[in-house]
Amino acid sequence: MIQFDIYRFTKLARWTLTIDKKYHVKSFFQNLVVFTLVFVFFTSITFTVNRQAANYVPCSIATIVAFAVTLVLGSSFMFYSMSGKHDMQSLLMLPASNLEKYLVRYASWIILVPIQLAAFFAADLIQYVFGLAVGHEGVRFVTSAAIEYVERTWYMMQIPEDAQQAWIAGVVFSAVWVHSCYALGATFFRSHKYNWVLTSAVLVFAFMLLMIVFGWGTVGAAWWNNRYLFSLLMLLLVVLNFWLSYRLFCRTQVVGRFVNL
């Protein structure tokens, strides 16, 4: 069988979207409720009850953290829409290659980003209307407040211009590497619902072990400042993690032990 066929991949993607429709609708309303409660509480309820000025900073921080978590941990959600062994069995029996199945399952978390974005804008509109209804004089959109917060935080960090690109590259490559680790964890651990917890525990343990072995605050001091070497190393580790994740996915069984080995 050809490993990748665009026609077969498209049919598989449509089938996956149809099967996961209920999960995506549920995700939208979950994000909508959480965003709305946070926004309304900090922008209107604190103003109405305690006569305090609306606080958009916690709303901005909550928004940034929510999207950062989705982007970094998103790969661990690959199988969240699959409720049990029957769904996994149906996936394994589909007339498609393992590569196509893996790519479709990986891409399933990307749909959560526009869903979360739509829920955020809807919650932002709700808090704006609610603020007007209760007579909140300083009502504004959280969107603009979050943008101003990011710009203000970036200015306060005072990173030299010659180091900004290296700093951004370091953050992006580190985030992508962590993302690939969660992709590996999603196929390594059989517990789909809590694989992000198990993967997080492994990452924390590995980080603490590195700190102990190399000394606190001195890990890779020689090469950490070399952004080219750091970027190359991170890129190789990302490729390795995704390759291992795919190989473990190919070994997935309906009935198995704690891990897919």
Side-chain angles (χ1 to χ4, degrees):
M1 177 185 291
I2 300 177
Q3 285 297 308
F4 186 84
D5 180 78
I6 187 62
Y7 177 73
R8 192 172 57 212
F9 178 80
T10 303
K11 291 183 62 177
L12 179 61
R14 287 201 300 263
W15 179 86
T16 303
L17 287 174
T18 302
I19 297 298
D20 295 349
K21 181 179 179 180
K22 182 179 179 180
Y23 169 74
H24 292 148
V25 173
K26 179 182 177 181
S27 299
F28 171 79
F29 284 106
Q30 286 178 339
N31 280 279
L32 178 62
V33 170
V34 172
F35 278 132
T36 301
L37 291 177
V38 172
F39 294 169
V40 170
F41 177 79
F42 284 107
T43 62
S44 296
I45 293 181
T46 55
F47 173 82
T48 304
V49 177
N50 301 324
R51 308 307 300 175
Q52 298 176 354
N55 194 351
Y56 283 90
V57 173
C59 298
S60 302
I61 295 176
T63 300
I64 295 171
V65 170
F67 281 98
V69 167
T70 300
L71 293 174
V72 176
L73 274 70
S75 55
S76 65
F77 305 151
M78 286 195 292
F79 304 100
Y80 264 42
S81 59
M82 304 178 69
S83 57
K85 295 180 181 179
H86 175 73
D87 291 341
M88 179 58 70
Q89 185 178 12
S90 300
L91 175 65
L92 296 177
M93 294 180 63
L94 289 173
S97 66
N98 288 331
L99 178 60
E100 292 164 346
K101 296 175 185 177
Y102 179 81
L103 292 177
V104 166
R105 291 317 311 175
Y106 175 79
S108 63
W109 79 265
I110 301 178
I111 305 175
L112 297 177
V113 177
I115 290 176
Q116 188 177 40
L117 192 62
F120 164 73
F121 285 130
D124 196 8
L125 181 60
I126 291 174
Q127 71 82 21
Y128 185 85
V129 174
F130 186 84
L132 293 177
V134 299
H136 174 21
E137 298 179 356
V139 64
R140 59 184 302 195
F141 287 108
V142 177
T143 304
S144 60
I147 294 175
E148 291 181 3
Y149 177 79
V150 172
E151 293 177 346
R152 185 169 62 252
T153 302
W154 178 259
Y155 176 77
M156 293 176 60
M157 292 177 65
Q158 296 182 347
I159 302 176
E161 292 188 8
D162 56 343
Q164 288 182 3
Q165 292 184 353
W167 189 89
I168 294 175
V171 172
V172 171
F173 275 105
S174 299
V176 174
W177 173 73
V178 175
H179 178 85
S180 67
C181 289
Y182 280 101
L184 177 58
T187 54
F188 179 75
F189 297 106
R190 295 188 59 82
S191 178
H192 294 155
K193 291 297 181 182
Y194 303 102
N195 61 70
W196 69 270
V197 178
L198 299 172
T199 305
S200 299
V202 171
L203 288 176
V204 171
F205 176 78
F207 180 76
M208 294 178 61
L209 184 62
L210 286 175
M211 293 295 99
I212 294 175
V213 173
F214 293 98
W216 297 96
T218 61
V219 178
W223 57 268
W224 183 270
N225 295 324
N226 189 328
R227 62 179 181 270
Y228 300 108
L229 181 60
F230 173 77
S231 299
L232 178 60
L233 177 63
M234 288 292 102
L235 181 60
L236 293 176
L237 291 176
V238 167
V239 173
L240 176 63
N241 284 338
F242 276 110
W243 180 79
L244 290 174
S245 177
Y246 170 69
R247 297 303 301 174
L248 288 173
F249 176 79
C250 294
R251 296 174 58 91
T252 301
Q253 298 179 358
V254 178
V255 178
R257 291 170 291 183
F258 183 70
V259 297
N260 289 320
L261 285 178

